[in-house]
Amino acid sequence: MALSETRAMASDAFLDHLMAEGAIDAQTRERVLRLVGRPGETVLTLLAGLGLIAEEHLALSLAAFHGLPLAAPGDYPPAPVLADRIQPAFLRQHRLVPLADEADGLRLAMADPGDRYALEAVHLLVGKPVRAAVALPADLDRALDRLYGSGRAAIGRILDEIDMPQGAGTALDAERLSDLASEAPVVRLINSLVEEAVATRASDIHIEPFEDRLLVRYRVDGVLRTAQTLSPGLQAAMASRVKILAGLDIAERRLPQDGRCKLAVRGRDIDIRVACLPTQFGESVVLRLLDKARAPLDFALLGFTPAVLAGIHRLLDRPHGVLLVTGPTGSGKTTTLYAALNRLNTPDRKILTAEDPIEYQLAGINQVQVNPRIGLSFSQILRAQLRQDPDILMVGEIRDGETAQIAVQAALTGHLVLSTVHTNSAAGAVTRLLDMGIEGFLLNSTVNAILSQRLVKTLCPQCRQPAPVGAALARTLGLERLGWVPGRTLYKPVGCAACGGTGYRGRTSIAELLVLSDGLAEMVLAHADAPAIERRAIGEGMVSIADDGLSKALAGETTLDEVMRVTTAG
């Protein structure tokens, strides 16, 4: 039987497998089979490229279909394996990476384990059995870039193709900018940067113009990392391309602009929020990447302790009242509110939100964008929403006394209200509301609880190493009351390929949940200060945010430095 016929049968069988899993329907199956004959197109490239199935799901399905393991990020070697026998061009063409040359055979990561030709070729090249594992495409691409330098070369080739006019910059007219931004190299450059940012789990892309360079930085786990240093002449073309995607005015380069767009990256849709800001050397562009597939809109994924999680669930089950989430910018407040909405979103409830901006679009929920330019504020939206017969209201942020008063009145009239306040502690939110003019008795009657949270970077499990703790430091931090005993070690970051050399991979929440008890209500009526309220809450059983962080450090999830960084600031 010809190789092409064998692969066609395998493709049919794999599509049937995906249908049995419920990943695709019959219409999608037929669509893929109609397109699969095009040059360079396979079932896998079509499924991912058309956004029909996410690459992570595709890899898991391939592993189950072929009965093979999934290659983990830590499985990829620090240096090329059998580089003298297998050429990088062959590896890139067939999307393979040798993992380890072992006595019983060569372990190989493959994007397509159904590529029998590649397997046979590698077997002949190395003269020993080949044991395949299914590779996540993002992990495979990073390994190829790191081990064989293909990623830098690819971006370099794109840059070489861009034909920039002499003196290109803000002087270019709108028509020329539009033409330049629509040319294939600039389109591929922006797409490549977004794809690379998604692969590195970045939350934001910063394109920043300076006098002698154009800096591209990614924010990963809350920290900015330089990704590319480009020619400043590219600024106008790149900014214009982003504006075209977001439906903004490319001729307007003097005023800030905001917009949204959507791109298919590695088989899934990425919502992108765009913000353009005029600076001395051109427009600074920030792209906020909103990946629903990776957004932890489930409380179980946010990292809250079982006690805090149980408390939040009890509070969300109440029919009315106010639940506040507090913390500085970047502490995960909005994500927590979205997780709450996700849990509350049922067909028998009407949920309305007032947001600035709308981060994620949630099916079944009426979301309203604040627009100060036309006078549409949080308080105005909230007033109008109360006439819409809602069950649950979410206010992105309580910034002023007017919004606070309306939120409290909404809770008094039988609504559940979720919102955020910018304070450094749960107790601080109480005093902030009092300062906004909310009477103590109203606060006690409506505010069910306040959740204060931070995000700490989590240690990479592949490379973390034990770090002994001295008895003096343990006493200073009070680690003994949290279960530390002499001789017990914590962990420190090291850095490896799996975490990009940082020692950290991902973030988790640390939190404190202050539930207004009768004793605390008396202190609110007496306008007690935040430290006194906090001491009373801890005495009644609240675990402070610092102690929650220290417990996670003792469990090996993060480091003492990380906990101290986020809990001692401010």
Side-chain angles (χ1 to χ4, degrees):
M1 186 179 293
L3 179 63
S4 59
E5 293 178 357
T6 303
R7 295 207 68 175
M9 290 178 62
S11 297
D12 283 351
F14 180 58
L15 289 171
D16 289 340
H17 174 78
L18 290 176
M19 283 186 62
E21 284 186 334
I24 62 172
D25 55 23
Q27 186 177 0
T28 300
R29 183 185 189 280
E30 292 306 314
R31 180 186 178 192
V32 170
L33 288 176
R34 282 199 307 270
L35 298 173
V36 78
R38 295 182 178 185
E41 295 288 13
T42 67
V43 165
L44 300 186
T45 59
L46 285 168
L47 286 169
L50 295 176
L52 301 174
I53 182 170
E55 285 191 338
E56 292 91 340
H57 189 172
L58 197 56
L60 289 168
S61 296
L62 277 171
F65 178 70
H66 290 283
L68 297 173
L70 194 68
D75 292 339
Y76 291 90
V81 174
L82 297 178
D84 57 332
R85 298 194 195 182
I86 309 176
Q87 293 299 311
F90 176 84
L91 298 175
R92 286 194 287 269
Q93 179 184 353
H94 293 279
R95 296 182 56 70
L96 319 168
V97 171
L99 299 177
D101 183 18
E102 299 172 338
D104 59 346
L106 177 69
R107 285 201 297 124
L108 191 70
M110 307 180 68
D112 180 8
D115 189 348
R116 308 306 304 175
Y117 169 78
L119 282 169
E120 290 295 332
V122 172
H123 171 64
L124 291 173
L125 284 169
V126 300
K128 59 171 59 179
V130 176
R131 294 184 288 115
V134 178
L136 280 169
D139 293 341
L140 185 76
D141 289 340
R142 280 196 294 271
L144 285 170
D145 292 350
R146 176 173 55 83
L147 297 170
Y148 305 102
S150 61
R152 288 290 176 184
I155 287 185
R157 285 194 297 271
I158 293 173
L159 294 173
D160 291 340
E161 293 178 37
I162 299 176
D163 182 20
M164 292 299 302
Q166 291 295 320
T170 56
L172 291 175
D173 60 35
E175 185 177 353
R176 181 69 185 100
L177 274 176
S178 179
D179 291 342
L180 191 62
S182 300
E183 291 176 357
V186 175
V187 171
R188 292 206 311 275
L189 177 60
I190 295 298
N191 289 350
S192 295
L193 291 175
V194 172
E195 185 171 326
E196 184 179 69
V198 170
T200 57
R201 300 173 296 102
S203 60
D204 304 84
I205 303 173
H206 292 244
I207 303 174
E208 303 167 309
F210 297 96
E211 185 176 14
D212 58 345
R213 67 194 187 280
L214 180 65
L215 200 61
V216 179
R217 297 194 287 173
Y218 302 152
R219 188 176 295 280
V220 182
D221 296 335
V223 179
L224 281 171
R225 304 177 187 173
T226 299
Q228 302 283 339
T229 302
L230 307 175
S231 164
L234 288 168
Q235 184 276 328
M238 293 177 67
S240 297
R241 177 58 193 166
V242 173
K243 286 181 179 180
I244 289 172
L245 288 171
L248 303 179
D249 183 0
I250 65 169
E252 180 55 76
R253 301 191 288 275
R254 300 166 302 168
L255 296 173
Q257 294 190 71
D258 299 319
R260 300 180 77 98
C261 61
K262 183 179 292 186
L263 286 178
V265 177
R266 297 192 175 277
R268 60 180 187 270
D269 287 334
I270 306 295
D271 288 323
I272 302 175
R273 202 172 74 228
V274 174
C276 301
L277 178 70
T279 70
Q280 182 181 4
F281 299 108
E283 288 177 286
S284 173
V285 180
V286 176
L287 293 83
R288 168 65 58 87
L289 307 179
L290 305 170
D291 186 355
K292 287 184 181 178
R294 291 187 176 176
L297 301 185
D298 185 337
F299 278 118
L301 303 176
L302 293 179
F304 294 122
T305 63
V308 168
L309 198 55
I312 293 172
H313 286 170
R314 284 195 299 271
L315 293 163
L316 293 178
D317 288 338
R318 294 187 181 183
H320 53 78
V322 179
L323 172 60
L324 292 174
V325 183
T326 186
T329 300
S331 60
K333 301 186 299 296
T334 302
T335 302
T336 297
L337 288 182
Y338 275 122
L341 292 178
N342 199 42
R343 184 177 186 275
L344 293 167
N345 189 13
T346 57
D348 60 330
R349 292 185 174 117
K350 177 153 185 173
I351 303 176
L352 297 169
T353 75
E355 304 177 57
D356 184 22
I358 296 173
E359 295 265 350
Y360 294 100
Q361 296 169 359
L362 302 176
I365 294 178
N366 296 278
Q367 297 171 267
V368 183
Q369 168 74 54
V370 170
N371 190 344
R373 285 177 291 185
I374 60 173
L376 191 60
S377 63
F378 279 116
S379 57
Q380 265 199 322
I381 294 171
L382 197 50
R383 277 200 197 91
Q385 287 177 337
L386 286 172
R387 297 191 289 271
Q388 291 282 311
D389 187 29
D391 296 294
I392 298 166
L393 296 167
M394 191 273 270
V395 186
E397 182 185 347
I398 293 178
R399 297 175 178 172
D400 52 58
E402 185 180 12
T403 306
Q405 290 284 358
I406 300 169
V408 165
Q409 290 300 322
L412 281 173
T413 54
H415 302 88
L416 180 62
V417 181
L418 312 177
S419 191
T420 72
V421 181
H422 272 290
T423 60
N424 288 325
S425 66
V430 174
T431 56
R432 178 69 191 277
L433 289 173
L434 292 171
D435 290 342
M436 285 183 180
I438 303 299
E439 296 291 343
F441 71 91
L442 283 176
L443 196 154
N444 287 334
S445 301
T446 57
V447 176
N448 294 334
I450 302 162
L451 176 74
S452 180
Q453 68 178 74
R454 304 287 190 280
L455 292 175
V456 292
K457 292 183 288 186
T458 51
L459 283 162
C460 173
Q462 304 287 337
C463 63
R464 66 176 189 174
Q465 289 185 0
V469 180
L473 178 61
R475 282 194 298 272
T476 300
L477 297 176
L479 296 182
E480 288 103 334
R481 58 188 168 78
L482 299 175
W484 179 85
V485 293
R488 179 176 175 179
T489 65
L490 277 71
Y491 290 87
K492 65 180 180 180
V494 177
C496 66
C499 60
T502 65
Y504 295 97
R505 185 174 174 84
R507 291 190 289 177
T508 191
S509 301
I510 58 174
E512 61 187 17
L513 182 63
L514 187 154
V515 179
L516 285 177
S517 64
D518 291 341
L520 289 172
E522 293 176 3
M523 299 186 73
V524 170
L525 288 174
H527 283 232
D529 59 18
I533 292 173
E534 183 172 310
R535 287 193 297 271
R536 176 66 178 262
I538 291 173
E540 292 183 358
M542 181 185 82
V543 176
S544 73
I545 197 167
D547 281 357
D548 188 25
L550 292 174
S551 295
K552 283 184 165 62
L554 286 172
E557 295 181 45
T558 187
T559 62
L560 289 177
D561 288 343
E562 262 298 285
V563 175
M564 301 304 293
R565 179 181 69 84
V566 302
T567 58
T568 58

